[in-house]
Short mmCIF file of all heavy atoms in Angstrom, two decimals:
data_model
loop_
_atom_site.label_atom_id
_atom_site.label_comp_id
_atom_site.label_asym_id
_atom_site.label_seq_id
_atom_site.Cartn_x
_atom_site.Cartn_y
_atom_site.Cartn_z
N ILE A 143 199.19 35.82 27.85
CA ILE A 143 200.01 35.04 28.79
C ILE A 143 199.72 33.55 28.60
O ILE A 143 200.61 32.71 28.66
CB ILE A 143 199.74 35.49 30.24
CG1 ILE A 143 200.17 36.95 30.42
CG2 ILE A 143 200.46 34.59 31.23
CD1 ILE A 143 199.71 37.58 31.72
N ASN A 144 198.45 33.25 28.31
CA ASN A 144 198.08 31.86 28.06
C ASN A 144 198.81 31.32 26.83
O ASN A 144 199.27 30.18 26.81
CB ASN A 144 196.56 31.80 27.84
CG ASN A 144 195.98 30.57 28.49
OD1 ASN A 144 196.66 29.55 28.60
ND2 ASN A 144 194.75 30.65 28.91
N PHE A 145 198.92 32.16 25.80
CA PHE A 145 199.67 31.74 24.61
C PHE A 145 201.14 31.51 24.97
O PHE A 145 201.77 30.57 24.49
CB PHE A 145 199.58 32.80 23.50
CG PHE A 145 198.21 32.92 22.88
CD1 PHE A 145 197.73 34.16 22.46
CD2 PHE A 145 197.40 31.81 22.70
CE1 PHE A 145 196.47 34.29 21.89
CE2 PHE A 145 196.14 31.93 22.12
CZ PHE A 145 195.68 33.17 21.72
N MET A 146 201.68 32.41 25.81
CA MET A 146 203.07 32.22 26.24
C MET A 146 203.21 30.89 26.98
O MET A 146 204.15 30.14 26.78
CB MET A 146 203.49 33.32 27.22
CG MET A 146 203.93 34.60 26.61
SD MET A 146 204.57 35.73 27.87
CE MET A 146 206.27 35.21 27.98
N ARG A 147 202.25 30.60 27.81
CA ARG A 147 202.28 29.37 28.60
C ARG A 147 202.28 28.15 27.67
O ARG A 147 203.06 27.23 27.82
CB ARG A 147 201.06 29.31 29.52
CG ARG A 147 200.97 28.03 30.29
CD ARG A 147 199.70 27.96 31.13
NE ARG A 147 199.76 26.75 31.92
CZ ARG A 147 199.41 25.56 31.49
NH1 ARG A 147 198.94 25.41 30.26
NH2 ARG A 147 199.53 24.50 32.25
N HIS A 148 201.38 28.24 26.69
CA HIS A 148 201.24 27.13 25.75
C HIS A 148 202.57 26.89 25.04
O HIS A 148 203.07 25.77 24.97
CB HIS A 148 200.14 27.47 24.75
CG HIS A 148 199.89 26.42 23.74
ND1 HIS A 148 199.43 25.18 24.08
CD2 HIS A 148 200.08 26.40 22.41
CE1 HIS A 148 199.33 24.45 22.98
NE2 HIS A 148 199.71 25.16 21.97
N LYS A 149 203.13 27.98 24.58
CA LYS A 149 204.37 27.88 23.82
C LYS A 149 205.52 27.37 24.71
O LYS A 149 206.24 26.44 24.35
CB LYS A 149 204.72 29.25 23.26
CG LYS A 149 206.00 29.29 22.50
CD LYS A 149 206.26 30.68 21.96
CE LYS A 149 207.70 30.78 21.52
NZ LYS A 149 208.06 32.11 21.13
N GLN A 150 205.64 27.95 25.88
CA GLN A 150 206.78 27.59 26.73
C GLN A 150 206.65 26.20 27.30
O GLN A 150 207.62 25.47 27.43
CB GLN A 150 206.88 28.58 27.91
CG GLN A 150 207.30 29.95 27.50
CD GLN A 150 208.42 29.94 26.50
OE1 GLN A 150 208.32 30.55 25.45
NE2 GLN A 150 209.49 29.23 26.79
N THR A 151 205.45 25.84 27.67
CA THR A 151 205.29 24.57 28.35
C THR A 151 205.53 23.40 27.41
O THR A 151 206.11 22.41 27.78
CB THR A 151 203.88 24.46 28.97
OG1 THR A 151 203.62 25.68 29.63
CG2 THR A 151 203.81 23.34 29.98
N TYR A 152 205.04 23.53 26.19
CA TYR A 152 205.08 22.36 25.31
C TYR A 152 206.06 22.45 24.17
O TYR A 152 206.37 21.48 23.54
CB TYR A 152 203.69 22.08 24.75
CG TYR A 152 202.73 21.74 25.84
CD1 TYR A 152 201.78 22.65 26.26
CD2 TYR A 152 202.83 20.52 26.48
CE1 TYR A 152 200.93 22.34 27.29
CE2 TYR A 152 201.98 20.21 27.53
CZ TYR A 152 201.03 21.11 27.92
OH TYR A 152 200.20 20.81 28.95
N ARG A 153 206.53 23.66 23.83
CA ARG A 153 207.27 23.77 22.60
C ARG A 153 208.69 24.29 22.79
O ARG A 153 209.66 23.60 22.54
CB ARG A 153 206.54 24.75 21.66
CG ARG A 153 205.13 24.31 21.40
CD ARG A 153 205.00 23.98 19.94
NE ARG A 153 203.82 23.19 19.72
CZ ARG A 153 202.68 23.68 19.32
NH1 ARG A 153 202.57 24.95 19.09
NH2 ARG A 153 201.67 22.89 19.12
N ASP A 154 208.76 25.54 23.24
CA ASP A 154 210.00 26.27 23.12
C ASP A 154 211.11 25.68 24.00
O ASP A 154 212.28 25.88 23.74
CB ASP A 154 209.77 27.73 23.48
CG ASP A 154 210.77 28.63 22.82
OD1 ASP A 154 211.03 28.42 21.62
OD2 ASP A 154 211.30 29.51 23.49
N GLN A 155 210.68 24.97 25.06
CA GLN A 155 211.68 24.41 25.95
C GLN A 155 212.38 23.22 25.29
O GLN A 155 213.47 22.84 25.68
CB GLN A 155 211.04 23.95 27.25
CG GLN A 155 210.59 25.13 28.10
CD GLN A 155 209.76 24.65 29.28
OE1 GLN A 155 209.70 23.47 29.56
NE2 GLN A 155 209.14 25.58 29.95
#
Side-chain angles (χ1 to χ4, degrees):
I143 296 169
N144 219 330
F145 291 145
M146 277 187 86
R147 176 184 185 277
H148 180 65
K149 178 179 165 186
Q150 291 317 126
T151 314
Y152 297 105
R153 303 245 163 98
D154 206 44
Q155 289 171 11

